[in-house]
Structures are given as structure tokens and as C-alpha cells.
Amino acid sequence: MRLSQYFLPTLKENPSEAQIVSHRLMLRAGMIRQSSAGIYNWLPLGLRVLRKIEQIVREEQDLAGCQEVLMPTIQPSELWQKSGRYDDYGKEMLRITDRHGRDMLYGPTNEEAITDVVKMECQSYKDMPKMLYHIQWKFRDEVRPRFGIMRGREFLMKDSYSFDIDYESSKAAYNKMFVAYLRTFNRLGVKAIPMRADTGPIGGDLSHEFLVLADTGESGVFVHKDVLDFDIPGDDVDYNEDLQPIVDKWTSLYAATDEKHEEGVEAELGDDLLAARGIEVGHIFHFGTKYSKPMGATVTDQNGTEIDLQMGSYGIGVSRLIGAIIEASHDDDGIIWPESVAPFTVGIINLKTGDETCDETCDRLYKELNAAGVETLIDDTAERAGGKFKNMDLIGIPWHVVIGPRGLKNGVAEVKNRKSGEKQEIAITDLVAHFSK
Amino acid sequence: MRLSQYFLPTLKENPSEAQIVSHRLMLRAGMIRQSSAGIYNWLPLGLRVLRKIEQIVREEQDLAGCQEVLMPTIQPSELWQKSGRYDDYGKEMLRITDRHGRDMLYGPTNEEAITDVVKMECQSYKDMPKMLYHIQWKFRDEVRPRFGIMRGREFLMKDSYSFDIDYESSKAAYNKMFVAYLRTFNRLGVKAIPMRADTGPIGGDLSHEFLVLADTGESGVFVHKDVLDFDIPGDDVDYNEDLQPIVDKWTSLYAATDEKHEEGVEAELGDDLLAARGIEVGHIFHFGTKYSKPMGATVTDQNGTEIDLQMGSYGIGVSRLIGAIIEASHDDDGIIWPESVAPFTVGIINLKTGDETCDETCDRLYKELNAAGVETLIDDTAERAGGKFKNMDLIGIPWHVVIGPRGLKNGVAEVKNRKSGEKQEIAITDLVAHFSK
């Protein structure tokens, strides 16, 4: 993309309405703009990051054997009356009356909706197990929306649901999601730690939250420091094998949010206990027959007996993750994107726009890099060099390629790594091969 | 995907609630299930097709220089009060009151929302032109939702908006979208004809509808038969050049829906006039300052004078297109997907599940085809052969590879083309190369 044509309205000053760093930087980097309280427009740069995160989440769900569906945003109230949550959910649920006076709602989550689909389409134990997910906008009418997309009202969530005929296989589904989550967050470039969690309004008896560690995180967390070095399951992980050993390992040492933190742990663990801060980005629950029973989601077993399905649900806050990644990865100059979610991998800075050789070299590199599949942004504006550096740092592009008359004389560009700040000279002729490796 | 594990609840019988063929086939092929009136759950097969259509639409928008954003589904009423459409839109707009008593609505379209974004971020003629689009769920509270996703309430739409400083450049943006639409529908495997249109509630003075020709279409259309043979702009089309000649060519001959059909044309054109039926899938409008003026979306020109932006909007019914494609491409046995939007390219039918050589060959082929990037579905169920053929025809997979003991003795598979019905024998060893060409 050519910056001169890109719709990227960056801000030099910190907007006064933003209290936390991710909100500030998303506004300053031209990623989002508020539409109304807790509801945002995603501008091109923000949307690119959102789609990358979404795609990594999707790939890992698919790998775990979860199948993608898409449920609508607007749900009929009847489903929630059946489960008993219509009244329980309170004012956080956005309730709507349609033109025929029918009570509808904007889905804050989808346990009822997916249970209804499975109930209608699956009658036999032969149709089980099922793991289904969707990535869809949700709405929760927060009393006081704040912190940008971190606690917004309209947000993008991946929610998966498992259906099984008994506890053992439902536990296996839970373990698959546990492992998929470890892999997902790792690919997104953040350190996320599973912690035992309250089950809250969704209910159930087995539950873990995944929290991204970030100095500016919303919650205090206490983690045995060895957990930080546990291995992430690799590409060779076999989801058809027993994953219990992986889950056991990851839950073998202490890890808790301050809400669940137990007295005496400090004394017991001493220096092994790390007190840090974290941001919740995922939550997994096993809740048995909590929804299948009231909604009549049963299948017949081998003997023709009706059995209530065992269920679990598994959420990842896709839009929230952008905030969490920024909280975990930024400096005074701006965002530092992990390469896997960066909107562009390379940013070309033309030090002397108007200089024929500079312009020509930049333009050729820009085309060649993109043709080689390296997503590249070129700052072809007439802004002065200092402003271009600041801007590229602010929006967090992982690699900056600086082209100027002096380097060109020697046939080299300066390549800067945004994260480490390290700079090296690379021959112009080697650049495409360097980045498309 | 292995059919034995796929969530694909097909139906043998025609569902009584479905009045038109696309609705019937989408239900029978397990693509969608109704959630409430005019609101659907997308099951895995349907979602795959939806995503393919969305991606082709996206690629063609990007190629035309349009930049993707994403606006939220829930909008504040204030925007619509400014434009004057809040009252005009009537009961089709889903109106919502949030917990603080603020009037909101589920966006039926986004002229106001995008105009507000551009007004806030663009102040100078130097920020122009801008072409922005998003692909987002919309809601229109139809009195009587019907015909499945063809006239649903919650639907997926691509809507683009152009902003220019004068009529001439606004017309150029209009032409870009005109050309992008010709290319988009062609890539989707349907014949879509641009026809002069009423501008309806969006307003404006220049407008074309694009209608897919289908015998079972909702509207009567009258088209000069030579229009059907006009060339589609190729991959070498240059969106920076003047596209007026292409638009002039495509609008040079008679094409009108029955609403706009003029008396006397039959007599004038005789055998050159084709009376057919069509389905509206796209609509483009130029409407000048209709929104920019009341909403104050101005920029300053070179002399510092404030000028109202010239605007256009350009819609494609992404979910509706699935219905239109099926209406245009099916037979008595089921759907016939154009390859570009088919959920899978190849369907492997194992004639004798349980036979070791058949199972082994099918499994190997399935893995090799997917590894070669050929999206393949394998019917590895214990269903009898007749049922497997029927099912593969129903869901419309373009190529069926039939593996049975008899063929295997000669080292061949039978390959059937779903559209033509033609069958040929191909050596098993050549199959992967054949499809990954």
C-alpha cells in the first residue's frame, strides 16, 4: 500500500479520552474511530490486524477438528427463555422488539443458539461428537464502556461449542480447546497463561481463563515462574491422542488471578512466585447438561435410551486481543507488532521523495516485495524524514527499509528492526530475497 | 473434509416451507437453517460458499482501488437524524433503545456512518479522492421475509462509498465500480447485466442495477441480445485510465427491468429483444451532495473554499448472491456450483467402503489432493453407492471422482463433471496432477 493513498489518519498527540495505552495507540495509529460509546469503526490498518488475528484463531480451531458455522447476530428471545437466562442476563443484554412486536436480542453469546441447531439436526449417538465454532460480532450493553475495544459493547468473538455423549469425551473436547488456545496465543506472539477460573453466568464445573501477561494489564495475577517456560504444543500435536498430559502439565503449578488468589501461597512459593498483571483473552468451560437438559438436546444411545448431551463452550475475544497484544508489546514510540499479526511486514521509507533515483528504487522495491508476497507499506509522502520515522514506529511495522541518496550510492538500504531497534545495511539487490525467505 | 465427520445435515425431501428452488436446495444441501423469520444459521457448507463469494468481491474491490474498513452493525440514531432519513426509513429499520435510553439502530445501510467518518478525518482536497468499502451484516425488518436468504432480514452486504471534490472525478469513481462489478459477477460464474435503475430511498441522479439472469428470477427483464456477448474487462484493465468507453459500451444497448421497461421497444427491436428473468445482486448510485451537505462533510479546495463532497454508493448482496447463483445454476438433481465459489472442487466417492484397496486408495487420494491445494470432500460413509451419487449431485461439487473395485483393477477412477454430466476414466496416478493443474 502507498501511504500517499492510504486512509490512515494518524494523530501526533495523545487523545484525551483514552485512559490506557492500547486505546491511545489504536487511535493515534489510525486503527479505529469511535462511532458511539463502546462501538468502533475499524479503519484499514486496524481491520488488517483484526483479520490476521481472526485467521490464526480460525486455523487453530480447524486444526483441532472444530468446524466453522455462522450464527446470526439477532436471536429470538424464546431460546433464552427455554434456558432460563433471558431474565438472568439483565441489562447487559441488548433487547429488541421487531416490527411485529416480537422480542429479539443481539446475541451476547451463543450457547442457546447452537444447542438449538444441534438439537434439531442430531438425533443419534452416531452424530456425536460435534465441535462447532463461529467468529461473529456480539453485543454486551456495558454500563460504562471504556478502554477502547478492550471493554467495548460491540465486539468480535470466537466461540466454540462441544457436544458429547458422556463426560469422558466432553473432557477430551475441553482438552483439545485447551491445547488449541495455547497454540493460538503463542502464534499471536503473546504469552498467555491458563488459570483456574470462576464459571460466572455461563455456569459449569471446569473452567480456565487464559490471560496475556502485560505490565499494564487489568488484573493482578500470581504465577509460578516455571509456567512461563513450559513448552507450547508443536505443529506435530495429534488432536486424536490423549491430551491430558499436556493439560496436566500446564495446570500443575500455581497460576491464579487476584480474585482467586489463595492466602499463604506467597510464603509457600517464595521467589518462585511471580506477581504480574494480565488481560483475559480466552475462557473455556465444561458445563455438562446445563443447556442441553432444559432445551431438550438429547440423542439416543446404542440401546435407544435418550441421553442429555454433555457440553462445553470456549471463547476468544478476537477484537480484544488487539488491545491485549498492544498492551503487551509497545514502547514510548508506539506499537510493536509481532510479525504474525502485523498489518504490513515491511515499511519502506523514502528519505528523499522527489529524488529520481530514490523514488525509482523505492517504487521498484515496493512492487517486487509485494509480488514476492511480502506485505509492504511505502511512505511515498512528502513528509520530512523525521516524521516518516516517527510514523513507521507509531504504527509498529516490524521492519523498516530506509532508502536515501547516501546509501544508494553504495547500493545499500538501512534495515531497522522495530522491536530491537537494531539496524543493518543490506544490499538493495538482496532485499527481496532477504524478506521473502 | 471427511463426510463421516462433517456437519452436513442434508434432506432427502423438499421442505414444505420453501417456495423457490434456491431456498429448497440450500435447506436440502444442509447449507442453512432458519433461526427465526428471515434470519439464518449458516452451516459449514453454506459458510464455505459465503466466504468464497465474499473473498472474490473483496479482491475486485481492492483491485479497483477501494480500501476496506469495517463499520459496526449498531449505529447511533443521531447520524440518521442529521441526514433526515431517520423518520423516512420507516418500519424496515430495526430501532433499538440501549440501557441508558439512547436511540440506536441496526444499520440497514451505511451512507450516514461513512460520511461521518470521512467528515471527521478529511479536511482538505488533498485527502481526496477516497473509495472505502466494508462487508458487514445488515438488518432490514421486512414485513414478510421470504425466499430464504434471498429476502431475509439479516443479510451480508458489501457496500462501497466514494468521496470526490467534483462531479467529474465522482463519475470516474462510479465507472470504476461499474467495471469492478462486471468483473466480480463474471468471476462468480454468473451473467449479470447492468440496467438503468430507479434511485429509490438512497436518492441520486445516476444509477444502475446489476441483475443475474435466471429462469426462476424474481423480476422480468428485457435485454438486447447482443449485450449478453459483450466482453468482460480483463485482468489487464487499468483503473487509472478513463473507463468511460467500457461503461458506454455496456449501456449502449437496451436493458431494463419490467418496472422501467418502455412501451414500443418490442416493436422497435423485434427478435433482438430478449425477454428473460433476473435477480438483482448489485446496485450503484451517484448521488452528489445528498448526504455530505446536510451532514457537513466538506473539504477546503486550493483556494481555501469549503466544498461539499460528491458521493456515490455501491452495493453487492453477498449472501443474496448465493441464492442468485443457485437460481441460475441448478438442475433437478441439485446445485451446480461454478468452480470459483464451490465449497469443494472435488468429491471422492468410495463405492465400496470397507474394501481395503478402495479405502486405502480413496484415503491416499484425499490426502494428496488436499495437500496439492485441491479442496476435496470424501464420502467415506457406509451409505450405498446410489445415495452417495445423489448426495454429491445435490450439494453440487463440480468434479466427482468415483473409486470402485472394478476401476481399481485397471488403475483408473471415473471422473464426472457435475455440470455437463460427462464422464471419463483417468488413471489414479494422474489424478492429482489433473486437478492441481
Side-chain angles (χ1 to χ4, degrees), chain B residues 355-367:
Chain B
D355 175 283
E356 202 175 323
T357 328
C358 283
D359 290 356
E360 236 172 55
T361 309
C362 284
D363 202 60
R364 185 168 43 77
L365 267 178
Y366 169 71
K367 286 177 183 159

Side-chain angles (χ1 to χ4, degrees), chain A residues 39-86:
Chain A
I39 304 180
Y40 289 86
N41 293 301
W42 293 81
L43 305 193
L45 193 82
L47 184 59
R48 280 181 85 98
V49 179
L50 188 68
R51 291 294 181 228
K52 295 219 167 172
I53 294 175
E54 182 182 332
Q55 185 56 23
I56 288 173
V57 170
R58 174 177 290 121
E59 286 169 10
E60 292 298 326
Q61 289 293 301
D62 290 343
L63 197 66
C66 214
Q67 293 179 28
E68 190 173 7
V69 298
L70 188 63
M71 291 172 271
T73 59
I74 301 297
Q75 303 180 12
S77 63
E78 288 85 349
L79 288 178
W80 291 70
Q81 271 148 358
K82 271 188 212 159
S83 75
R85 284 207 292 181
Y86 190 62

